[in-house]
Amino acid sequence: SAQRRHYDGSGNSNEWSAALERTIRIGGKAEIDAELGDNDLAIGRARLGEARREAARALADLWLDLLATSRQRELWAEQLSFAQSSHHAVEKRCKAGDASTLDLNVASADLIEVQRQSSAAATAEAKAQAKLAVRFPTLKLTPMPLTEPSALDM
């Protein structure tokens, strides 16, 4: 490469700069580059495997959370039916004169508390479904019921 400097208004200048350039290739660099490429591929595969494991762990956590909240909602729905029948029975006994107003108030408070818990369980189930649907949108949300645990024969 070469350069020449020229000044306007002060005449010509005889200032020159010249250089000779040549690229130098280190011996064995092709093998080193190939090894670096292989290492980058191995790192990429390891990161992909780690991402798959993390996704599987997240899926398992979210799915089990959905199963648990679904079962909890079912249990609170069952408790709600028990509380409603108890309240109805206490109302009948109160009309017949067999139960006090205090018994009716206790049954009503119990019914209200179970309704609150049932509503909270339904909300928790909806949140679990939403979390699962957001993270895994193509997954079908049809949780299978958990089976009763069986005893192990040892």
Side-chain angles (χ1 to χ4, degrees), residues 67-86:
L67 288 176
T69 55
S70 176
R71 181 66 179 138
Q72 190 175 33
R73 181 198 44 79
E74 290 169 3
L75 290 173
W76 279 112
E78 185 179 5
Q79 286 295 319
L80 183 60
S81 70
F82 294 152
Q84 287 170 339
S85 64
S86 175

Side-chain angles (χ1 to χ4, degrees), residues 23-33:
T23 57
I24 299 174
R25 181 90 174 154
I26 298 173
K29 188 159 186 307
E31 291 84 19
I32 294 171
D33 287 344

